[in-house]
Amino acid sequence: MVSGRIVRNKRHYSLFGKLCRSCFRINQIKPLFLVLLVIFFLSVYLSDLPLRKEPRKIFSMLNRSALLASNYSTRLKIAEHFLFPWQIKNENKISLEEYNDTDYFSSPTPVPLMVTTPLGNGTVQPYELPQSLLESHKLLYNYSQPSHNVKSKQPCPLVPHRLVGKVPVVKEYYPIDQLNSLDFRVKAGGTYTPPNCEPLQKIAIVIPFRQREMHLSILLLNLHPYLQRQESSYTIFVVNQIQGSKFNRAMLMNIGFMEAMKRDRYTCVIFHDVDLIPFNDKSLYRCPKYSTRHLSVYIDKFDYRLPYKEILGGVVAISSHLFIKANGYSNQFFGWGGEDDDFQHRCKSKGVNIVRYPMNICQYMMIKHRGDSGNEPNPQRFDLLKRYAERQERDGLNSLSNAYTLKSILTLPLYTIINVHIDRSKVLLAKPGPLPHYLRPPE
């Protein structure tokens, strides 16, 4: 009896195997398999699972179609139907009908349709702002927190209530003069404070810059409403290196930190590349107390994958006292490459860990651009990296005071620009000294 059961089981498996092989030979099962595969991909996408569980190519295609649509109505339609509804529904957030209320869609002051620009002969000529710019501005602020006239004494929540997750990104370029005519709810110099609560941190956004006017305009257009939805108290500092020596990104970030701390006691500093645009506002621009947060983890250029585990570039958030403890960035990296890895070594040597948000929210879009003249790869970067330990205590914030020339600081409507000149010979000969009083901890 036992042997008969075994024979019947073998016969059953044999018949099943023959049936499967015959189905594949006559192509009967392939159409059904493809239909099931498409249904599975769509269900995974609509469930908003982390990227590691999503089909990467399908997600990139749908996501980019929504975020890069050049037409305003198309972009808004795709965003509403593909990006927002399931997130708001699943997390008990405000519904789309509530967002259509005039309180959320209207800006606090009317947007001017006509702007005047001075001509060379002293006369003033009016011109009309592009309709696409007005629509893009309205689109970004549709999802921003409405302002209130009465300021509460309560601290701002750790997680703001009106985050929506993925938001559209406007990639069209508009001259900064046109952006200045719009209402971004900021004070002169690019300063913003939440009107309805006490901020938890005072944040300095430091952007190293040279000859990237188009990228800066796109970043400002998207970043201001992004940070305001997060109820951040911030000021944007653009550190511009005047032509001369090769581009020194790390030193510009040190300078931006120093000049920002002269103006106010910022508790958090975020170093931000000008060509990276965040599009998920759940990636909070905040600084951990005892670690460094790498924000720009997953970028579309790298197919939303981490290039290597130790990377610490793009957008980095660090508390001011930890940045001083690590002695800032090295000042000796002229040209492209190496400074981020050097800073990662500096943080770890001081016991400062690197943390990251989950990969499904920490997403960025990189604006494509060609290589810059004066920012060619640094041939000495590998030798400098090998000697990071012996340079850390004598190369950084404590050797910065006499290594650059401050040309001017201008308070513009959307940001504060710091124009500096860097002399390579002075940088290489700079000796460490005591930190300025405004960088010393209060007694």
Side-chain angles (χ1 to χ4, degrees):
M1 182 179 296
V2 176
S3 62
R5 185 180 294 113
I6 294 175
V7 171
R8 283 196 298 273
N9 287 341
K10 286 185 177 180
R11 185 182 299 112
H12 171 72
Y13 293 143
S14 177
L15 291 174
F16 180 74
K18 289 181 180 179
L19 179 62
C20 290
R21 287 193 295 272
S22 63
C23 288
F24 273 100
R25 279 200 301 269
I26 62 177
N27 293 327
Q28 293 296 322
I29 200 171
K30 287 184 178 178
L32 178 61
F33 175 75
L34 292 176
V35 172
L36 294 175
L37 188 64
V38 170
I39 294 174
F40 171 75
F41 281 179
L42 290 177
S43 64
V44 170
Y45 179 75
L46 294 178
S47 65
D48 198 26
L49 293 177
L51 281 175
R52 60 178 177 273
K53 297 182 181 179
E54 293 177 349
R56 197 177 302 276
K57 292 185 179 180
I58 296 295
F59 175 81
S60 299
M61 180 181 67
L62 293 176
N63 197 27
R64 292 181 186 182
S65 66
L67 297 175
L68 301 180
S70 58
N71 180 269
Y72 163 74
S73 59
T74 304
R75 182 167 58 236
L76 182 59
K77 183 178 180 180
I78 295 176
E80 288 180 350
H81 287 283
F82 285 96
L83 293 181
F84 299 111
W86 70 86
Q87 292 179 344
I88 297 174
K89 179 179 179 181
N90 292 343
E91 300 174 12
N92 297 321
K93 299 294 183 182
I94 298 174
S95 64
L96 288 176
E97 288 74 19
E98 292 179 73
Y99 272 100
N100 283 323
D101 188 78
T102 54
D103 291 338
Y104 300 105
F105 270 72
S106 59
S107 57
T109 56
V111 176
L113 293 180
M114 300 296 292
V115 188
T116 58
T117 176
L119 299 180
N121 55 8
T123 60
V124 175
Q125 177 185 9
Y127 70 93
E128 186 174 356
L129 289 175
Q131 185 65 26
S132 58
L133 173 58
L134 299 177
E135 292 174 344
S136 298
H137 180 267
K138 180 180 179 181
L139 170 68
L140 294 173
Y141 273 99
N142 281 348
Y143 306 100
S144 295
Q145 177 175 330
S147 60
H148 301 278
N149 294 327
V150 180
K151 187 168 183 178
S152 171
K153 297 295 184 180
Q154 296 295 327
C156 297
L158 291 175
V159 179
H161 300 302
R162 299 187 181 275
L163 301 180
V164 295
K166 296 178 183 130
V167 293
V169 171
V170 177
K171 289 194 65 177
E172 294 82 11
Y173 164 67
Y174 302 98
I176 294 182
D177 290 342
Q178 294 183 1
L179 299 187
N180 293 339
S181 303
L182 299 175
D183 178 24
F184 282 91
R185 306 175 182 175
V186 296
K187 297 178 182 178
T191 299
Y192 177 83
T193 302
N196 59 333
C197 61
E198 292 291 338
L200 300 176
Q201 296 179 341
K202 185 170 286 188
I203 304 170
I205 310 290
V206 177
I207 304 173
F209 177 83
R210 185 162 76 175
Q211 295 181 330
R212 293 283 192 88
E213 289 80 5
M214 183 183 73
H215 295 168
L216 180 61
S217 174
I218 296 174
L219 177 62
L220 293 173
L221 179 59
N222 290 275
L223 190 59
H224 276 300
Y226 179 93
L227 294 173
Q228 292 167 21
R229 281 194 302 274
Q230 297 183 354
E231 297 180 342
S232 302
S233 175
Y234 67 90
T235 302
I236 295 181
F237 296 93
V238 178
V239 191
N240 177 40
Q241 181 178 346
I242 299 174
Q243 292 291 348
S245 58
K246 281 190 174 183
F247 188 65
N248 193 327
R249 173 176 169 270
M251 187 171 176
L252 291 178
M253 291 188 285
N254 283 343
I255 295 172
F257 176 76
M258 294 270 283
E259 297 297 333
M261 294 298 286
K262 287 181 183 179
R263 298 166 63 97
D264 206 341
R265 283 278 184 175
Y266 291 97
T267 58
C268 170
V269 58
I270 297 179
F271 301 105
H272 206 300
D273 281 358
V274 73
D275 57 354
L276 289 176
I277 312 296
F279 60 85
N280 192 320
D281 60 11
K282 294 181 182 178
S283 179
L284 296 177
Y285 274 41
R286 302 286 191 272
C287 291
K289 191 172 183 180
Y290 299 110
S291 57
T292 301
R293 172 159 284 136
H294 184 208
L295 290 169
S296 59
V297 185
Y298 304 102
I299 304 175
D300 59 347
K301 177 181 178 180
F302 305 116
D303 199 19
Y304 300 103
R305 297 179 182 179
L306 196 64
Y308 55 96
K309 185 179 179 181
E310 294 79 14
I311 189 171
L312 189 61
V315 184
V316 176
I318 183 172
S319 296
S320 299
H321 71 279
L322 293 182
F323 190 68
I324 297 172
K325 181 180 179 180
N327 200 19
Y329 285 86
S330 169
N331 297 321
Q332 298 189 13
F333 284 86
F334 287 86
W336 179 88
E339 69 276 4
D340 295 323
D341 293 332
D342 183 90
F343 184 63
Q344 184 259 351
H345 291 316
R346 289 176 174 235
C347 290
K348 285 194 172 183
S349 68
K350 296 297 183 179
V352 181
N353 294 324
I354 311 300
V355 296
R356 298 182 174 101
Y357 286 126
M359 64 187 305
N360 62 321
I361 65 170
C362 209
Q363 302 160 0
Y364 280 74
M365 181 181 302
M366 179 176 285
I367 307 173
K368 296 181 180 179
H369 60 90
R370 298 179 180 178
D372 302 324
S373 60
N375 193 28
E376 294 80 11
N378 181 5
Q380 301 176 350
R381 61 187 185 276
F382 300 110
D383 294 333
L384 290 171
L385 284 174
K386 291 178 182 178
R387 297 182 288 106
Y388 81 90
E390 64 184 61
R391 289 185 296 100
Q392 181 167 0
E393 301 302 328
R394 58 179 177 83
D395 170 28
L397 294 177
N398 60 1
S399 63
L400 189 65
S401 299
N402 299 321
Y404 70 97
T405 303
L406 179 63
K407 294 295 185 179
S408 62
I409 299 180
L410 303 177
T411 302
L412 302 180
L414 298 181
Y415 60 96
T416 299
I417 187 166
I418 304 170
N419 296 305
V420 299
H421 179 266
I422 297 176
D423 189 336
R424 180 168 183 169
S425 60
K426 290 184 178 180
V427 173
L428 297 179
L429 296 175
K431 296 182 180 180
L435 290 175
H437 65 89
Y438 48 84
L439 295 186
R440 300 170 190 168
E443 299 178 357

